[in-house]
Amino acid sequence: MSENPITAQQTPDEEPGLAIGRRLVDEVLTPLKRTYVGKDEVIDLLGVCLAGGENLFILGPPGTAKSAIVQDLSRRLEGVAFDYLLTRFTEPNELFGPFDIRRLREGELVTNTQGMLPEASLVFLDELLNANSAILNSLLMVLNEKVFRRGKETIPLPLLMVVGASNRLPEDDALRALFDRFLMRVHCDNVSDDRLGDVLDAGWKIDGGLIERGTTLMMDDIRRLQGRLHQVDIQCVRLPYLELIRRLRHAGIDISDRRAIKFQRLVAASSLLCGRLQAAVSDFWILQYIWDRQEQQEVLQAIVQEALSKDVEMQKRHPRAQAQSAPDPEAMARDLEWLGKAIGEAKDATARSPLRDRLAVLAGRCQWVSDANQRGFLQQQVDQLWKHFEGRSDA
């Protein structure tokens, strides 16, 4: 076997970064999609976050294959992986390793990290938001700086990506800080009833060990792929990117400068996975997955899809950029309910301005709800909310 299997298998004129991206899609992500029915969205997000070196948060109830998909991903990439189910009583030793007893006898505090998180390239933390104060600071440092610190120890980590999962969103400030370190967020729900038969068939094959996982792609190859991100030309989409970030901010989506900078890595990653060294507006699909609350999803989807529709280049688009999903009436109802409370609490025109813009976006989305009864109910809510702005001199 050659020292670099990617180079050995790429076509003569294929740029190494594009070759690795192609193989990640063909040999890892596509087979995962065939194995896990109805999980294409989650798998696409795992792929772009892995290529971009950013972390992913998966929200969903138990039994929806969250851990199974991540564990299968790690098996398809030869390297060290670590996964753990957090509880309120999880101690640092369970994640990072205990003190080395032999060194402790010599008066040194040294952590034995063998087989633990500090040695892993891919980490999956299930029920992430059960993290307690004893491990919270260490986890934040792992996510922020990719280092583990304990006492005088400072251990650089070989981390490529951390995936966190939970069936709820954070409620207190400490957990929100942890949640904020996961740049992308995606739902993982039970599949629809019409695909349940396919799920049963796929699950039977997985349970019987009938799934082939033949690939020579390794964690080191992913590290090389991440090293190629800055070869992607993103200057060509700088102006539309700035315009989209400004519009999202104006609609009340909180995007810090730090996050706006980091999103560029995922734009570049999407480009590499599509076989391009030049970013396109279609790579902005990743911005649909930056929500902090569930009621932001419909607004994000509407604004981002409007931006994607301006991209006339249809070739080599990411699958997520091609998926034009219809509005979710339940999600819209949640968003409108939240807007009603927010409008009532807004004290001045400055606070009301982004709420007005957000309502305008949702009002436009209402027209695309297929069910007439649901559309009528949502339109009634929209009309009532517009009345809150009527008669205000500062509206």
Side-chain angles (χ1 to χ4, degrees), residues 72-91:
D72 200 339
L73 173 65
S74 69
R75 286 191 291 269
R76 293 172 189 269
L77 299 171
E78 296 182 19
V80 179
F82 178 85
D83 66 88
Y84 205 81
L85 174 65
L86 298 183
T87 72
R88 291 178 299 163
F89 309 105
T90 300
E91 297 180 355

Side-chain angles (χ1 to χ4, degrees), residues 5-282:
I6 294 297
T7 304
Q9 297 186 33
Q10 71 190 64
T11 58
D13 299 326
E14 192 171 18
E15 198 279 332
L18 297 181
I20 303 171
R22 171 180 55 78
R23 294 191 58 218
L24 176 60
V25 171
D26 293 345
E27 299 180 21
V28 178
L29 302 181
T30 299
L32 274 175
K33 291 180 183 179
R34 288 197 294 263
T35 302
Y36 296 93
V37 176
K39 305 299 180 184
D40 288 13
E41 187 176 36
V42 175
I43 293 167
D44 281 332
L45 266 292
L46 283 169
V48 78
C49 286
L50 185 61
E54 295 296 343
N55 304 319
L56 175 66
F57 178 85
I58 305 177
L59 176 67
T64 52
K66 299 187 296 294
S67 60
I69 295 172
V70 178
Q71 289 165 2
D72 200 339
L73 173 65
S74 69
R75 286 191 291 269
R76 293 172 189 269
L77 299 171
E78 296 182 19
V80 179
F82 178 85
D83 66 88
Y84 205 81
L85 174 65
L86 298 183
T87 72
R88 291 178 299 163
F89 309 105
T90 300
E91 297 180 355
N93 290 355
E94 299 175 56
L95 297 182
F96 306 108
F99 286 117
D100 190 319
I101 300 299
R102 291 172 298 178
R103 303 287 291 275
L104 190 60
R105 289 170 182 164
E106 300 170 3
E108 295 183 75
L109 292 177
V110 178
T111 304
N112 179 3
T113 61
Q114 185 175 3
M116 308 304 285
L117 185 151
E119 296 188 349
S121 299
L122 178 61
V123 171
F124 176 59
L125 299 175
D126 202 1
E127 296 304 334
L128 173 77
L129 299 181
N130 282 335
N132 55 54
S133 57
I135 62 174
L136 197 54
N137 288 336
S138 295
L139 280 177
L140 286 172
M141 193 159 295
V142 166
L143 296 167
N144 286 342
E145 305 174 31
K146 293 187 177 178
V147 298
F148 168 60
R149 288 179 184 165
R150 178 187 264 178
K152 295 182 180 180
E153 286 185 291
T154 299
I155 304 174
L157 305 181
L159 267 180
L160 295 173
M161 176 177 66
V162 177
V163 180
S166 179
N167 59 7
R168 61 188 175 91
L169 292 176
E171 297 176 358
D172 61 70
D173 291 339
L175 291 178
R176 272 194 287 268
L178 182 64
F179 178 67
D180 185 61
R181 297 307 182 267
F182 291 81
L183 200 62
M184 294 284 103
R185 295 85 188 260
V186 64
H187 273 277
C188 184
D189 293 319
N190 290 304
V191 300
S192 58
D193 290 346
D194 61 323
R195 303 208 67 185
L196 184 56
D198 295 332
V199 170
L200 295 178
D201 291 339
W204 184 254
K205 291 178 182 178
I206 294 171
D207 189 50
L210 303 177
I211 303 299
E212 295 184 5
R213 296 188 177 93
T215 178
T216 56
L217 203 60
M218 304 177 72
M219 294 291 189
D220 284 344
D221 296 322
I222 302 301
R223 195 166 280 108
R224 295 187 190 99
L225 178 62
Q226 292 182 1
R228 299 280 179 171
L229 288 174
H230 287 88
Q231 291 189 348
V232 176
D233 176 15
I234 63 171
Q235 293 298 322
C236 58
V237 294
R238 176 54 51 83
L239 289 179
Y241 180 73
L242 287 171
E243 180 185 350
L244 180 54
I245 293 295
R246 289 174 183 141
R247 188 172 178 204
L248 290 172
R249 283 178 168 179
H250 207 262
I253 306 299
D254 185 19
I255 301 176
S256 66
D257 291 347
R258 176 179 63 83
R259 289 171 67 82
I261 292 169
K262 280 180 168 287
F263 292 148
Q264 294 177 116
R265 291 180 58 86
L266 296 176
V267 170
S270 172
S271 179
L272 285 176
L273 294 181
C274 292
R276 292 183 273 103
L277 286 174
Q278 187 174 55
V281 171
S282 61

